[in-house]
Amino acid sequence: MHPTMRTPRRRLLRGLAVAAMALPIALGAAACGDDESGGSTDPNAPVKLSVFYWGSEARAKLTEEALNAYKAKHSNVEFEVTWQANQGYADKLATLAAGGDVPDLFALDDNMLADFATRNVTADLTEAKSSGKIDTSKFPPSLVEYGTVDGKFVGVAAGENTPGLVYNKTLVTKNGLPEPQTGWTWDQFIDWAAQVTTKTKVPGTMDPSADYKAFWVWLRQQGKDLYNGKQLGFTAEDLTKWFTLWKGARDKKATPTADVIHEGNVTDISKQLVVTGKAATSWVWANQMPELKKNTKDELGVVAYPGDPSGQWARAAMYWSVARSSEKKDTAIDVINFLVNDQAAVNILGTDRGLPSNLDLRTKFAETVTDPNMKLSIQLENDLASKFGKAPQVPPKGHSTFRSELVKAAENVQFGRATPEKAAADLIALVQPKLG
């Protein structure tokens, strides 16, 4: 491992503490300096690029390998990489931004994209896209659209993903029950889950009423959307129907009890209920199949969320963005283009950040895959590709508030602390003023 590729978490935390006191930190030093400017007319001039993202140890290893592959072609480029767990990532990036120390290249998701774009933290990459410096010509159109905020292209999809219902295939088949199917209605799925509970004594499904992904897909199938500009795209009546749907499922014993549902709401991917044996189905991202399988001996399956598949769309699992303040934008842009459009990089990164965004390279990558669970993820995404609906707008600033408040509201209903009507009305009254 190259010494500039290893930045311990303690170093990050020390750096953030210093940033809070408005003093220079290591990342800021790396992001500045005329001698390291990416705008140098000499293509061989030394460049040190700071990179910041979140993820697991496995993701860190893959990312390091991909960046080393870039460095093998550009020996003048060094990387100073910092990574951490997802929790607290946005807050730490905001701290760096407040101190003027934004890393040159950093990761965002749709929970953060509009927030940092409207703060002018992200560079406008429209010219880089139109000139081909970042080639998106082989991307599904919705992946490109979904990285655009207020007319500016600010996020390049690191991979494509879609929500998936991951179920315990071993449990279902050994008990003579049918496997769930893409295209089932919500009522069909809930009835199936109740049958699973009755036959196996394992609750048929995790209750997803606190899951914004599931609610969003359900809304789109009703002809609504999560947002309309800087306003919520649904009414209290819509949310009441959603909470009522899952109250009915709990009454049928299709889901676990409220305390176990809460556990499913707060656990990481390695402890989802489908692998801990506390539910037969979990509502996750399709590309998480391989990681889930590591935590169970049972065979797993994956299908789309219930209802019309056109309610789903090709989503960016994560974006790469460039700091507006970076003096090395050209290098950062070239690194992004390499990560998404170089076959070697795509093969290294696999599906860790979703399926490769470049459809041609995705096809070639799929031919090399041996992991049966990764194959299932790819198959689901490919099967849905022709059924995906148009991408919605990127969520506005305040989306993170909606996500956290949805969990609280849903759990208030699950624990009997509020009726569906009261929980829905309270959420809308709290969230709407915080949007935009």
Side-chain angles (χ1 to χ4, degrees):
M1 181 186 294
H2 195 280
T4 60
M5 295 287 292
R6 186 190 295 119
T7 304
R9 298 187 189 193
R10 291 180 182 175
R11 178 175 177 180
L12 172 62
L13 295 174
R14 288 198 301 269
L16 289 167
V18 176
M21 296 183 288
L23 294 176
I25 65 171
L27 279 176
C32 302
D34 293 340
D35 60 327
E36 294 179 353
S37 170
S40 170
T41 56
D42 181 1
N44 297 312
V47 179
K48 183 179 287 186
L49 203 73
S50 52
V51 183
F52 186 34
Y53 65 92
W54 75 89
S56 63
E57 295 273 357
R59 174 174 292 170
K61 183 177 180 181
L62 294 173
T63 305
E64 176 188 328
E65 190 176 344
L67 292 177
N68 278 335
Y70 179 87
K71 181 173 170 53
K73 296 184 177 183
H74 306 272
S75 59
N76 61 310
V77 177
E78 298 285 350
F79 294 102
E80 183 163 7
V81 179
T82 307
W83 63 276
Q84 63 162 74
N86 188 13
Q87 187 173 4
Y89 175 85
D91 291 337
K92 291 174 183 176
L93 183 58
T95 299
L96 293 173
D101 294 314
V102 185
D104 300 301
L105 178 60
F106 53 92
L108 295 172
D109 64 11
D110 65 9
N111 194 40
M112 313 172 202
L113 193 66
D115 191 0
F116 283 95
T118 54
R119 294 189 205 182
N120 287 322
V121 175
T122 55
D124 184 356
L125 304 177
T126 303
E127 189 281 328
K129 174 168 67 73
S130 60
S131 67
K133 292 178 182 177
I134 296 178
D135 184 4
T136 61
S137 63
K138 302 297 183 181
F139 286 25
S142 64
L143 277 193
V144 182
E145 296 165 11
Y146 209 57
T148 303
V149 178
D150 294 335
K152 297 178 180 179
F153 184 55
V154 295
V156 182
E160 178 186 311
N161 210 356
T162 197
L165 277 176
V166 174
Y167 62 95
N168 187 322
K169 184 172 182 176
T170 298
L171 176 72
V172 170
T173 55
K174 80 176 182 181
N175 283 281
L177 293 164
E179 296 178 49
Q181 302 294 317
T182 292
W184 274 6
T185 66
W186 292 82
D187 287 338
Q188 282 179 308
F189 174 74
I190 289 171
D191 287 345
W192 170 84
Q195 292 174 27
V196 172
T197 304
T198 300
K199 188 73 179 285
T200 70
K201 308 307 177 187
V202 175
T205 179
M206 167 62 182
D207 178 334
S209 53
D211 187 334
Y212 86 101
K213 302 190 303 301
F215 178 55
W216 200 347
V217 169
W218 179 84
L219 270 178
R220 283 167 59 88
Q221 293 166 347
Q222 318 306 310
K224 301 288 187 77
D225 221 318
L226 198 58
Y227 298 106
N228 181 12
K230 295 180 180 179
Q231 304 289 317
L232 291 171
F234 59 92
T235 65
E237 183 180 3
D238 296 321
L239 186 54
T240 297
K241 288 179 180 178
W242 173 249
F243 287 155
T244 301
L245 175 70
W246 289 101
K247 182 180 184 302
R250 294 191 297 277
D251 291 344
K252 289 182 177 181
K253 310 297 183 186
T255 77
T257 54
D259 56 333
V260 178
I261 295 169
H262 170 74
E263 183 180 323
N265 286 336
V266 300
T267 54
D268 61 29
I269 191 65
S270 67
K271 297 176 183 176
Q272 286 296 318
L273 302 188
V274 74
V275 297
T276 61
K278 295 182 180 181
T281 312
S282 283
W283 304 65
V284 293
W285 292 105
N287 77 313
Q288 293 175 320
M289 274 281 288
E291 193 65 27
L292 284 166
K293 184 62 182 75
K294 292 177 183 177
N295 297 282
T296 178
K297 294 180 181 178
D298 290 343
E299 186 179 358
L300 301 176
V302 60
V303 295
Y305 281 8
D308 187 343
S310 67
Q312 298 187 203
W313 68 98
R315 300 181 64 165
M318 186 184 295
Y319 305 92
W320 286 116
S321 293
V322 177
R324 183 170 176 266
S325 59
S326 175
E327 298 180 0
K328 302 160 221 176
K329 291 186 182 70
D330 286 348
T331 303
I333 285 168
D334 195 55
V335 171
I336 291 176
N337 192 59
F338 175 81
L339 294 176
V340 298
N341 288 315
D342 183 272
Q343 188 72 64
V346 164
N347 288 349
I348 290 168
L349 295 170
T351 62
D352 180 73
R353 290 181 172 90
L355 301 189
S357 299
N358 183 311
L359 293 174
D360 288 354
L361 300 190
R362 182 189 302 181
T363 299
K364 294 177 181 177
F365 164 74
E367 295 170 355
T368 71
V369 173
T370 58
D371 183 335
N373 295 285
M374 190 178 292
K375 284 184 176 181
L376 286 175
S377 297
I378 295 172
Q379 179 182 330
L380 174 66
E381 197 93 13
N382 289 341
D383 288 348
L384 289 176
S386 62
K387 303 179 180 72
F388 279 144
K390 181 177 173 57
Q393 67 170 75
V394 174
K397 183 179 179 181
H399 177 55
S400 59
T401 299
F402 166 75
R403 287 178 58 173
S404 61
E405 291 302 325
L406 180 64
V407 174
K408 294 176 186 177
E411 291 194 345
N412 281 338
V413 178
Q414 291 159 8
F415 281 98
R417 295 189 290 255
T419 64
E421 293 82 1
K422 179 70 163 57
D426 288 349
L427 180 144
I428 288 179
L430 190 151
V431 171
Q432 184 58 70
K434 297 181 183 292
L435 295 179

